Each structure stands twice: as C-alpha cells, then as structure tokens.
Amino acid sequence: MSARTARRTPSRWLWSALVGIVSAAAFLATAELLSLLFTRGSGPIIAVGGFVIDIVPRPLKEFAITTFGVYDKPVLLIGLGIAVLIAAAVAGILQYRLRPLGVVVVVIAGVLATLATVTRSGASGLAWVPTTVGTLVGALVLLLLTARLRAWAGSAVSGEADGHAVAAPAVPENPAAPRPKVAVDRRAFLRTTTVIGVSAVLVGVGARLVSAATTSAEALRNELRLPAPRTKVAVPDGAEFDVEGLAPLVTPNKDFYRVDTALVVPAVDPASWRLVIDGMVDQRMEFTLDDLLGMGLDEYAITLTCVSNEVGGGLVGNAIWLGLPVRDLIAQAGPQAGADMVLSRSVDGYTASTPLASLTDPGLDAIIAVGMNGEALPPEHGFPVRMVVPGLYGYVSATKWLTELKVTTFADDEAYWTPRGYSAEAPIKFSSRIDTPRTGAPVAAGTVAIAGMAWAQTVGIDRVEVSIDEGEWQPATLSNPINDNTWVQWMLPWEATAGTHYIAVRAVNKNGELQIEERAPIFPDGSSGWQRLLVTVT
Ligand SMILES: Nc1nc2c(c(=O)[nH]1)N[C@H]1C(S)=C(S)[C@@H](COP(=O)(O)O)O[C@H]1N2
Ligand SMILES: [Mo]
C-alpha cells in the first residue's frame, strides 16, 4: 500500500465520530431554531441546563457555587457541552460499527432533552416540538452521513483490492479520465458533512443570539418596579357573566392578541429609554422612564382592537392599563398652530398616525401605558412604554416600544401602513361577536346560553340584539360595563331544539346608531357586518 493510498483511506474512528458530532449539531440547531417559536427562545441547552440545576443535589450545587462562584453557570454549560460532544462522537462511532445503536443514542438523548424541556416551569403545551423535531433531524443526518461514509470506505477498500485505482498515477492525471469512484464518494461525504455542519453552526448560533436578545428583555422587565396607581379601575358588580365559552371581561396578558411587524421582539433597556416629543412644538421635550413614573400613574380600562379583526374574530382584547394621559406630555411641548397629526414611532421604526385632536382632547383617555393588568408591559406588548387610544384601531394609535411623538400634519407625514393602502385615520367600527355556542361544536337541546362581547369604544353599547333562524330581534342582557371604552358581555338564554339553527347578532351604540349590516373586508379601514353563524343542536 503506498503512502498516498493510506492517506485516502478514511480513518473510520475519526470520521464516524465527526458524523456523530455533526448530527448532534443538526439536532441542536433545529431545536434552538424551533424553540424561538415554541418555547420563547428557551432552547434545549438552556432547558437541560436548568433541569440539571434543578435536579443536582444541594451539596453539589453548593460545591459548584463555592468553587466556581459567578462562573458556576458557564462551567455547567461548558460541562454540558463537553458531555454532548462525547456522547455525539460515541453515537457516530456506534452507528458506523453497531448500526442502529447510534440512532438509539440520539433518540434517548432526544427523549431526555424533551422531558427536561416540558418539565420547565411555564412550558407551553407545544414545548415538546423543538426537541422532537430536532431528534428526527439529528437521526436523519446520522443515517445519511453514515451511509456516505460507508460508501466512501467501501470504494476505498475495493480500490485497494484492484491494486491501483486510488494510487497516485505515475504520469500527470488526464483531466478527461473519469474520476476514481473513491474520490467521488470521498467528495460526496466531505461536501455533505461540511454543508450540514456549517449550516447547523450558523443556524444554531443565530438562534441563540436571537433568543439571548429576547430573554434579556424579559430580564430587564423583571427588574422594573412600577409605582402603585393613584386611582384604580373599579370593576362594578355584574360586570362579568359566568358562561362557559364566553371571553373574560379582562383579557389575561398571555391570551391578549399580538399584532406587529417585529420579527424579533425589541429588547429595550428602560435605563437608556427616552421619549422625545418634537416636530411642530414650541419646546422639544425628552422624558426618561423615571420622569414618566414620577408624574403619577392611574389605571385605565380600554379595549384595544385591530383593524385586521374579522367580524366575529379574536383580534380584540381588554386590559387595565397603567399610565398617564398623552395630552399632559404634549402640553409640556406646546403643539404649534397648523399641526393636525402626531406620528408615534417605535424603536423598531414602526410608525402610527394619530389625529393631534385625539391626543389633546381632555375628554378622551389617550394614554402612554407602562403597565398592563397589574404588571409591566410584556415585551411583546411594547415594554417599556406604548400608546393606547380608545376608539382608534391599534395601527393608528397603539404604538408599542414607543420612543418618539412627532407633532406634524397628515399632509407632511405618513405612517407605516399608509403607503401600504390602509387609511391614515381609522376609528374603530363598533361591533358585536358571538363567543358561544360555536359552529362545529354541537350543543344539547334544552336551555342554551348564547353569549358574546360587544364594543363601541368612547361611545358605549346601548343594547345587543340576537336573531335566531331569521326571527325577530330579541334584546340580550348586557353585563355592567366598566366604562364606555371597554367591551361588555351580552347573553341570551335560548330554548334550543334539535336541528341546525342560524344565530345572528348586532349592536346599537349609545348614540342610537345600529351596527353596520353591510359586510366590508378589513382593508382599508376595518371590517363591518353582522356576525351570523350556524349551530347544530343534538
Ligand atoms: N411598534 C409597533 N407597534 C404596534 C404595531 C407594530 O407593528 N409595531 N402594530 C399595531 C397594531 S396593528 C395593533 S392592532 C396593536 C396590537 O397591540 P398588541 O400586540 O399589544 O395587541 O399594536 C400596534 N402597535
Ligand atoms: Mo392592528
């Protein structure tokens, strides 16, 4: 065997170990990437690390802390990394020598990582997805690369057998001659391994960076202490019905709809955050968060609605916000004559155009909010500061991660959605919605509660009417509203008989106006129409 031949024969131990490591990298990269979607960026490494921290016996934990001090977590992660590397190399070698033991090792590791993930506190119902898909990808890569390695090794052996196929030719290679099979197989193996390995590293590191940025927003938020409200929202008796399937009066933060253009939730440090008021003002103003908190905060109950909410849809939510009137800030800057719009800007560049009159009206609770339902704004709802304006769709008023209010004119400035065809001004079209019963969820004959929500921010709901099977409109019972800026619940008992039935709903606001019957799409200024649905009674 010539030296050249020896060099071209794969060292199976090393290459199969590398195959194992690349497979593990593919596993982790896949899981990290999916964890951005399913576990709020808490990837498998962090989950397993946290799991280890939780199950390690206290004396060992204390040993780690006293020995490594503040470096106990990095040391843990490095230790974990080394363990993963060794296990991966072993899996690669096992798969090559004792097929399918390597895949078995990957699956066992996957099951352990999944268990660690789903048992983390606050894990969502889909927390198992990233590591499960990761296991699949890891196992597939292991199978694929091992097959490539075998092909290479196989052709190298047969090349040796016929004596000279892989030996260096004595004369310069004829470029037209077909490549020896061993060279082709070697190339295929190396290329696939490199492509998968490099992609895994890029995807994995990218996903970790993204999640590190988002988790740090969470960390900053946990440190912020908000002052107690000067006045609290009083929820009157009878504000909420006890009907199964009916939306709660106050939407929990975790269930509150989210709509924005941010691919990654901006991580804003409250310490360096500033709100600038500029444009057509006498005095440019700049506020720190402490400035705002020091002005005294009150609670405001306001129902937020998205222009993209279809009739009967879920892009509407009600929260008790902690904040202060925008008009107090704008008054300090002194808006100039001729201005008719405020362009609010987010740290991520998003902008909304709100009529200046809405933000200076002493009768309208247009607010700068820092709190939502008793806690600081969640990162995805605009931490640390957003705007909320009763009666205007979110895209023209509710800028999250707010950083600038530019006093200007509709003639001079455009908001994010305006050149995309949406109306520059967009008051909420008041509406009503059936929450229960639902199409596709049959109910038993007998007394059935038909119930839902209705909203007419700034005006209030006067009544809600229900029609069954095109029959006459019957008034529903309304819950006791918190105020005219919030939605109300409505309910109507119904003696349901077996068969299929139509239920329709409409509202009348306190100005005596009837909800628009004509159907309109959400584009360009919000949907309209009466919700009408088919229910099956058994
Ligand atoms: N920075 C920023 N703020 C934004 C948006 C956005 O895309 N970026 N979307 C707006 C829209 S369309 C709506 S309906 C509300 C939704 O607020 P929520 O996600 O807290 O429910 O935020 C508004 N504020
Ligand atoms: Mo929206």
Side-chain angles (χ1 to χ4, degrees):
M1 193 194 282
S2 73
R4 180 99 189 220
T5 313
R7 236 189 298 128
R8 288 213 176 179
T9 306
S11 153
R12 289 141 202 205
W13 288 99
L14 274 183
W15 288 121
S16 59
L18 179 70
V19 162
I21 290 168
V22 168
S23 307
F27 173 147
L28 290 175
T30 306
E32 287 287 352
L33 186 67
L34 291 177
S35 75
L36 291 176
L37 298 173
F38 292 100
T39 61
R40 291 184 171 218
S42 163
I45 297 182
I46 300 299
V48 171
F51 184 75
V52 170
I53 290 176
D54 288 355
I55 61 162
V56 147
R58 196 173 45 89
L60 193 56
K61 233 183 264 182
E62 285 163 6
F63 167 78
I65 292 167
T66 48
T67 314
F68 303 117
V70 294
Y71 297 111
D72 60 344
K73 290 189 181 67
V75 166
L76 169 75
L77 289 176
I78 290 169
L80 259 180
I82 293 172
V84 168
L85 220 56
I86 293 173
V90 168
I93 293 168
L94 281 179
Q95 183 63 18
Y96 189 76
R97 311 249 149 188
L98 297 167
R99 179 164 51 166
L101 274 193
V103 171
V104 171
V105 170
V106 172
V107 170
I108 292 173
V111 168
L112 292 179
T114 305
L115 285 178
T117 309
V118 298
T119 52
R120 295 276 79 207
S121 77
S124 72
L126 289 174
W128 53 273
V129 173
T131 44
T132 307
V133 179
T135 307
L136 265 174
V137 171
L140 286 177
V141 168
L142 185 57
L143 287 170
L144 171 75
L145 293 185
T146 304
R148 290 269 150 100
L149 181 58
R150 278 169 193 281
W152 171 22
S155 55
V157 168
S158 56
E160 281 167 312
D162 59 51
H164 46 73
V166 293
V171 290
E173 261 187 70
N174 172 2
R179 285 176 181 284
K181 183 170 184 315
V182 62
V184 173
D185 288 337
R186 173 175 178 270
R187 213 167 230 264
F189 168 77
L190 290 180
R191 188 186 297 141
T192 317
T193 306
T194 309
V195 166
I196 296 178
V198 169
S199 327
V201 168
L202 289 180
V203 169
V205 169
R208 273 259 40 92
L209 287 179
V210 166
S211 81
T214 49
T215 43
S216 80
E218 195 60 60
L220 293 166
R221 177 173 177 262
N222 290 338
E223 281 164 22
L224 181 69
R225 290 282 159 269
L226 293 178
R230 295 182 305 194
T231 60
K232 291 187 68 106
V233 165
V235 178
D237 288 341
E240 193 154 19
F241 294 140
D242 181 17
V243 174
E244 196 173 315
L246 180 60
L249 182 72
V250 177
T251 315
N253 290 351
K254 66 172 177 31
D255 299 332
F256 207 98
Y257 80 92
R258 175 187 167 197
V259 172
D260 55 59
T261 57
L263 197 55
V264 177
V265 174
V268 183
D269 184 351
S272 54
W273 176 88
R274 296 287 182 276
L275 176 63
V276 170
I277 305 186
D278 56 6
M280 299 170 67
V281 291
D282 293 336
Q283 173 69 50
R284 178 185 187 275
M285 298 293 298
E286 201 174 304
F287 299 92
T288 65
L289 189 59
D290 282 340
D291 291 338
L292 299 189
L293 302 187
M295 291 172 74
L297 305 179
D298 298 289
E299 282 187 351
Y300 299 84
I302 301 169
T303 295
L304 192 62
T305 310
C306 183
V307 70
S308 303
N309 192 41
E310 301 277 5
V311 170
L315 298 182
V316 48
N318 185 43
I320 295 180
W321 310 94
L322 179 68
L324 71 164
V326 184
R327 62 175 172 276
D328 290 356
L329 302 181
I330 292 189
Q332 291 191 37
Q336 293 172 344
D340 64 4
M341 187 259 267
V342 172
L343 191 74
S344 52
R345 181 181 300 276
S346 157
V347 297
D348 70 352
Y350 178 87
T351 50
S353 55
T354 311
L356 176 62
S358 300
L359 302 183
T360 53
D361 181 350
L364 184 71
D365 287 335
I367 59 162
I368 298 283
V370 296
M372 182 176 184
N373 293 329
E375 44 184 272
L377 289 177
E380 56 279 21
H381 293 292
F383 179 83
V385 177
R386 76 176 304 171
M387 211 158 84
V388 180
V389 181
L392 302 181
Y393 284 120
Y395 83 101
V396 290
S397 66
T399 302
K400 305 191 273 190
W401 314 292
L402 180 70
T403 186
E404 183 197 355
L405 296 175
K406 180 185 181 191
V407 179
T408 177
T409 66
F410 280 104
D412 286 341
D413 273 299
E414 270 188 333
Y416 180 89
W417 284 110
T418 315
R420 292 167 174 84
Y422 280 87
S423 296
E425 296 189 60
I428 296 172
K429 298 177 185 176
F430 73 96
S431 192
S432 52
R433 175 181 96 185
I434 303 166
D435 284 5
T436 182
R438 297 197 152 267
T439 304
V443 291
T447 309
V448 170
I450 306 175
M453 317 297 291
W455 55 93
Q457 292 94 324
T458 71
V459 176
I461 292 288
D462 178 65
R463 61 181 188 274
V464 168
E465 298 171 335
V466 176
S467 158
I468 294 157
D469 297 330
E470 317 278 326
E472 66 182 275
W473 291 95
Q474 312 170 45
T477 306
L478 294 191
S479 70
N480 214 352
I482 300 178
N483 61 40
D484 289 337
N485 292 331
T486 60
W487 60 10
V488 287
Q489 296 180 332
W490 58 265
M491 168 174 69
L492 183 77
W494 168 45
E495 290 311 317
T497 54
T500 51
H501 301 277
Y502 271 113
I503 305 176
V505 66
R506 66 184 192 186
V508 175
N509 71 10
K510 286 184 177 170
N511 290 338
E513 295 161 323
L514 180 64
Q515 180 181 337
I516 301 170
E517 177 176 11
E518 191 194 340
R519 292 222 150 231
I522 60 177
F523 185 86
D525 61 359
S527 66
S528 68
W530 297 343
Q531 191 186 359
R532 198 161 173 266
L533 57 77
L534 188 67
V535 288
T536 308
V537 179
T538 54

